[in-house]
């Protein structure tokens, strides 16, 4: 199985063309769209989408993570194996979401793709690599072990005495604000949040329907990260936050 | 075949993850996206999307209808069979779109899913049930017959003398306004509509290209419901309506 | 393989229903979404999406191109073969994107579809034709050779002395403006662009990351058409252009 994470959106034919290339190489398996709405060029958002989705896929799934502001420059393309899955991605920091002690990383030799465009490696290189790995195995990928890859830290949070500094890493369709703060940091003492210099009291809950009307809830999110939410309302609008905004939480 | 109707949108990895889980259970068939843009939490909109789509699918298709504002509360999960198709959905009224004399309904025992999150049953329960039903048949689903399920009425309209009270149940990409009024109620006497206290004369037509420039058309819609339309224009903007708005039609 | 290009969008169940019909006829292959966000009713935009995507698909792929403002009128439905692929589309000008000397064109006899709706031929006719062609071959399609089909010219540009008159044919998710001007017309002398009566100097580049901050770049696009771009910025907003807008380029 091949699964796709990109910032291509779906207004363009880019995703369809990537699939066309994969199938043109003879691949006959499934291709699953995980997300094509990564915030354009955002390494951190790509890390969030990847981290919260890949574990739910079958063993040996090949993930293409194409969020690639440096496309066409000298940046490397990485192949990563964590013992269960394979990942292709540009060497731009996304790989920092893995525990580096649990993965094996290769730099892919892309010299053979002499006719690749400068601006669409998803089609001209990544799609070719994914179909080849799926059909012929890792021996068919020209690559060498590589340890000096770029690592953007993820998740990002900082705990100082009674304050947690973190950020909104994702806002879902319902407006729920997911923080770059793992559920392991959840505590019933986390009773307030400051966003844009305003302080809000938080209501602890297990699910959205528990939250009283107009209250702002906090819960352990299904993605593994703490969420700020309301009951059938868009809390991101209420707090006027966007993806990437800094927030502070308080233990009280 | 498994087909999906949700209000998850596609900016989040939720739909991809549901597919990942289905395939992880060993399912190898097709998964078709019908719609992930159900108006968030809207039972009625879910009913419209389901009603107008399921008949076009192959026999034995399994439909997951996950519009579930009560996720994580004590609401039941239903399995429905109409003799041709299977449907999983929360017990929140969506089932009211079926003729209850033609379906068999079960309440699913979800006790086994002890590790399910409180907020993402699409991934943790519905996906598991769909793949199991597809691969092992209905005997593998722990459920008991159930008749006391919630039924939200659909479609909704009320005919009083010369007036039809109904609502806009869906606005399509072209701005066509589909009413909660079946084509069987169509009549050449339906000559005017009142929306937001304004009255508009309706032009009867068979297809969009028949409608004169700037006129507002009425036709028997391809979905089985009466549509208000214009010729290559967005009538929803012209009338300033949104999904769920009440309208009145007049027989003259 | 069947691949889809439509202006249906994805908020409606239309695309899912088309797939349901295709599978209901017994087809078991893949169906790939190329693009459902063709600008509504835009022949020219459909031509751009088709032209820049189909070559990347496997031999014998069947393309459904359903951008059809005249649905339900007497317009013909075309079947086209270019020696490698098959295409079904309404006879409304889209076919003008092919070199007419390299294709064979048939008009499809749709009399048998007596129960087709007037407004959704994607579901009632095109889906039936695609599955039949895929499963039974061209002998099963009732059609006759046809040469008098409508041809909307594509791409559109006009070179006069030192000025190229053309238009923005597509704006991608990143805001890059793709011109209706093939890469073959690229020249290092193309040094300025006029949009909305304002003149901008162009910076020649190979990829987006080459462009200096705030500069406006020009490059040979990966789609085969010249692009105007910025480095991690939305140039369409900077220039305030939309799809279809006229622009002038200057050789200096």
């Amino acid at each position: 199985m091949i699964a796709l994470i990109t910032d291509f959106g779906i207004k363009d034919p880019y995703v369809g063309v990537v699939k066309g290339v994969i199938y043109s190489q003879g691949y006959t398996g499934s291709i699953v769209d995980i997300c094509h709405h990564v915030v354009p060029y955002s390494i951190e958002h790509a890390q969030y989408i990847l981290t919260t989705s890949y574990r739910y896929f079958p063993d040996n799934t090949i993930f293409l993570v194409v969020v690639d502001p440096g496309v066409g420059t000298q940046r490397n393309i990485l192949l990563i194996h964590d013992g269960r899955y394979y990942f292709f991605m540009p060497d731009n920091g996304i790989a920092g979401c893995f525990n580096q002690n649990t993965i094996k990383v290769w730099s892919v030799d892309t010299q053979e793709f002499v006719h690749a465009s400068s601006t669409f490696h998803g089609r001209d290189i990544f799609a070719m690599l994914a179909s080849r790995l799926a059909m012929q195995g890792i021996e068919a990928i020209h690559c060498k072990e590589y340890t000096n890859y770029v690592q953007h830290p993820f998740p990002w949070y900082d705990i100082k005495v009674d304050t947690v500094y973190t950020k909104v890493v994702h806002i879902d369709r319902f407006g729920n604000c997911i923080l770059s703060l793992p559920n392991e940091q959840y505590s019933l003492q986390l009773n307030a949040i400051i966003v844009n210099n305003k302080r809000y009291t938080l209501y602890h809950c297990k699910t959205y329907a528990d939250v009283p009307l107009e209250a702002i809830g906090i819960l352990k999110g299904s993605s593994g990260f703490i969420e700020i939410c309301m009951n059938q309302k868009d809390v991101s609008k209420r707090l006027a936050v966007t993806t990437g905004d800094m927030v502070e939480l308080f233990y009280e």
Side-chain angles (χ1 to χ4, degrees), chain A residues 105-117:
Chain A
V105 182
W106 297 267
S107 170
V108 178
D109 181 346
T110 59
Q111 278 188 76
E112 67 183 295
F113 302 106
V114 287
H115 296 298
S117 67

PDB file of all heavy atoms in Angstrom, chain A residues 105-117:
ATOM      1  N   VAL A 105      17.993   5.453   8.218  1.00  0.00           N
ATOM      2  CA  VAL A 105      17.786   6.520   7.235  1.00  0.00           C
ATOM      3  C   VAL A 105      18.802   6.397   6.107  1.00  0.00           C
ATOM      4  O   VAL A 105      19.994   6.174   6.354  1.00  0.00           O
ATOM      5  CB  VAL A 105      17.928   7.915   7.904  1.00  0.00           C
ATOM      6  CG1 VAL A 105      17.667   9.026   6.894  1.00  0.00           C
ATOM      7  CG2 VAL A 105      16.989   8.030   9.100  1.00  0.00           C
ATOM      8  N   TRP A 106      18.306   6.522   4.873  1.00  0.00           N
ATOM      9  CA  TRP A 106      19.167   6.530   3.701  1.00  0.00           C
ATOM     10  C   TRP A 106      18.976   7.824   2.913  1.00  0.00           C
ATOM     11  O   TRP A 106      17.881   8.392   2.907  1.00  0.00           O
ATOM     12  CB  TRP A 106      18.828   5.372   2.753  1.00  0.00           C
ATOM     13  CG  TRP A 106      19.033   4.009   3.289  1.00  0.00           C
ATOM     14  CD1 TRP A 106      20.134   3.221   3.174  1.00  0.00           C
ATOM     15  CD2 TRP A 106      18.067   3.217   4.018  1.00  0.00           C
ATOM     16  NE1 TRP A 106      19.935   2.001   3.781  1.00  0.00           N
ATOM     17  CE2 TRP A 106      18.678   1.967   4.302  1.00  0.00           C
ATOM     18  CE3 TRP A 106      16.763   3.427   4.461  1.00  0.00           C
ATOM     19  CZ2 TRP A 106      18.025   0.948   5.001  1.00  0.00           C
ATOM     20  CZ3 TRP A 106      16.109   2.426   5.158  1.00  0.00           C
ATOM     21  CH2 TRP A 106      16.739   1.206   5.423  1.00  0.00           C
ATOM     22  N   SER A 107      20.020   8.253   2.238  1.00  0.00           N
ATOM     23  CA  SER A 107      19.905   9.337   1.268  1.00  0.00           C
ATOM     24  C   SER A 107      19.788   8.686  -0.112  1.00  0.00           C
ATOM     25  O   SER A 107      20.586   7.814  -0.467  1.00  0.00           O
ATOM     26  CB  SER A 107      21.156  10.217   1.347  1.00  0.00           C
ATOM     27  OG  SER A 107      21.166  11.123   0.283  1.00  0.00           O
ATOM     28  N   VAL A 108      18.773   9.089  -0.869  1.00  0.00           N
ATOM     29  CA  VAL A 108      18.506   8.445  -2.154  1.00  0.00           C
ATOM     30  C   VAL A 108      19.320   9.114  -3.258  1.00  0.00           C
ATOM     31  O   VAL A 108      19.381  10.344  -3.340  1.00  0.00           O
ATOM     32  CB  VAL A 108      17.002   8.524  -2.492  1.00  0.00           C
ATOM     33  CG1 VAL A 108      16.721   7.894  -3.853  1.00  0.00           C
ATOM     34  CG2 VAL A 108      16.171   7.853  -1.401  1.00  0.00           C
ATOM     35  N   ASP A 109      19.943   8.304  -4.088  1.00  0.00           N
ATOM     36  CA  ASP A 109      20.679   8.813  -5.242  1.00  0.00           C
ATOM     37  C   ASP A 109      19.674   9.047  -6.376  1.00  0.00           C
ATOM     38  O   ASP A 109      19.089   8.107  -6.902  1.00  0.00           O
ATOM     39  CB  ASP A 109      21.729   7.778  -5.662  1.00  0.00           C
ATOM     40  CG  ASP A 109      22.558   8.256  -6.841  1.00  0.00           C
ATOM     41  OD1 ASP A 109      22.162   9.245  -7.497  1.00  0.00           O
ATOM     42  OD2 ASP A 109      23.595   7.631  -7.111  1.00  0.00           O
ATOM     43  N   THR A 110      19.479  10.320  -6.737  1.00  0.00           N
ATOM     44  CA  THR A 110      18.452  10.639  -7.739  1.00  0.00           C
ATOM     45  C   THR A 110      19.060  11.000  -9.096  1.00  0.00           C
ATOM     46  O   THR A 110      18.375  11.534  -9.962  1.00  0.00           O
ATOM     47  CB  THR A 110      17.579  11.823  -7.250  1.00  0.00           C
ATOM     48  OG1 THR A 110      18.441  12.950  -7.020  1.00  0.00           O
ATOM     49  CG2 THR A 110      16.852  11.476  -5.966  1.00  0.00           C
ATOM     50  N   GLN A 111      20.348  10.691  -9.257  1.00  0.00           N
ATOM     51  CA  GLN A 111      21.031  11.042 -10.515  1.00  0.00           C
ATOM     52  C   GLN A 111      20.353  10.485 -11.754  1.00  0.00           C
ATOM     53  O   GLN A 111      20.409  11.067 -12.826  1.00  0.00           O
ATOM     54  CB  GLN A 111      22.457  10.489 -10.491  1.00  0.00           C
ATOM     55  CG  GLN A 111      23.446  11.355  -9.755  1.00  0.00           C
ATOM     56  CD  GLN A 111      24.857  10.824  -9.966  1.00  0.00           C
ATOM     57  OE1 GLN A 111      25.458  11.009 -11.021  1.00  0.00           O
ATOM     58  NE2 GLN A 111      25.370  10.138  -8.966  1.00  0.00           N
ATOM     59  N   GLU A 112      19.716   9.327 -11.591  1.00  0.00           N
ATOM     60  CA  GLU A 112      19.118   8.694 -12.768  1.00  0.00           C
ATOM     61  C   GLU A 112      17.940   9.488 -13.331  1.00  0.00           C
ATOM     62  O   GLU A 112      17.566   9.317 -14.489  1.00  0.00           O
ATOM     63  CB  GLU A 112      18.636   7.282 -12.410  1.00  0.00           C
ATOM     64  CG  GLU A 112      17.472   7.316 -11.434  1.00  0.00           C
ATOM     65  CD  GLU A 112      17.008   5.929 -10.997  1.00  0.00           C
ATOM     66  OE1 GLU A 112      16.524   5.165 -11.845  1.00  0.00           O
ATOM     67  OE2 GLU A 112      17.137   5.625  -9.790  1.00  0.00           O
ATOM     68  N   PHE A 113      17.350  10.364 -12.497  1.00  0.00           N
ATOM     69  CA  PHE A 113      16.153  11.085 -12.944  1.00  0.00           C
ATOM     70  C   PHE A 113      16.553  12.368 -13.673  1.00  0.00           C
ATOM     71  O   PHE A 113      16.198  13.477 -13.273  1.00  0.00           O
ATOM     72  CB  PHE A 113      15.241  11.390 -11.754  1.00  0.00           C
ATOM     73  CG  PHE A 113      14.801  10.156 -11.012  1.00  0.00           C
ATOM     74  CD1 PHE A 113      15.325   9.834  -9.771  1.00  0.00           C
ATOM     75  CD2 PHE A 113      13.872   9.293 -11.583  1.00  0.00           C
ATOM     76  CE1 PHE A 113      14.930   8.685  -9.094  1.00  0.00           C
ATOM     77  CE2 PHE A 113      13.472   8.137 -10.917  1.00  0.00           C
ATOM     78  CZ  PHE A 113      14.009   7.835  -9.668  1.00  0.00           C
ATOM     79  N   VAL A 114      17.305  12.185 -14.739  1.00  0.00           N
ATOM     80  CA  VAL A 114      17.881  13.339 -15.439  1.00  0.00           C
ATOM     81  C   VAL A 114      16.817  14.205 -16.106  1.00  0.00           C
ATOM     82  O   VAL A 114      17.036  15.377 -16.367  1.00  0.00           O
ATOM     83  CB  VAL A 114      18.909  12.897 -16.506  1.00  0.00           C
ATOM     84  CG1 VAL A 114      20.173  12.414 -15.823  1.00  0.00           C
ATOM     85  CG2 VAL A 114      18.329  11.811 -17.411  1.00  0.00           C
ATOM     86  N   HIS A 115      15.650  13.618 -16.370  1.00  0.00           N
ATOM     87  CA  HIS A 115      14.618  14.400 -17.044  1.00  0.00           C
ATOM     88  C   HIS A 115      13.604  14.993 -16.062  1.00  0.00           C
ATOM     89  O   HIS A 115      12.584  15.537 -16.479  1.00  0.00           O
ATOM     90  CB  HIS A 115      13.893  13.538 -18.082  1.00  0.00           C
ATOM     91  CG  HIS A 115      14.805  13.094 -19.178  1.00  0.00           C
ATOM     92  ND1 HIS A 115      15.436  13.980 -20.022  1.00  0.00           N
ATOM     93  CD2 HIS A 115      15.221  11.857 -19.546  1.00  0.00           C
ATOM     94  CE1 HIS A 115      16.199  13.306 -20.875  1.00  0.00           C
ATOM     95  NE2 HIS A 115      16.097  12.020 -20.605  1.00  0.00           N
ATOM     96  N   ALA A 116      13.883  14.871 -14.764  1.00  0.00           N
ATOM     97  CA  ALA A 116      12.954  15.425 -13.777  1.00  0.00           C
ATOM     98  C   ALA A 116      12.844  16.932 -13.947  1.00  0.00           C
ATOM     99  O   ALA A 116      13.830  17.612 -14.228  1.00  0.00           O
ATOM    100  CB  ALA A 116      13.429  15.090 -12.363  1.00  0.00           C
ATOM    101  N   SER A 117      11.641  17.457 -13.767  1.00  0.00           N
ATOM    102  CA  SER A 117      11.447  18.907 -13.754  1.00  0.00           C
ATOM    103  C   SER A 117      12.121  19.468 -12.508  1.00  0.00           C
ATOM    104  O   SER A 117      12.521  18.723 -11.607  1.00  0.00           O
ATOM    105  CB  SER A 117       9.952  19.226 -13.719  1.00  0.00           C
ATOM    106  OG  SER A 117       9.415  18.794 -12.479  1.00  0.00           O
TER     107      SER A 117
END
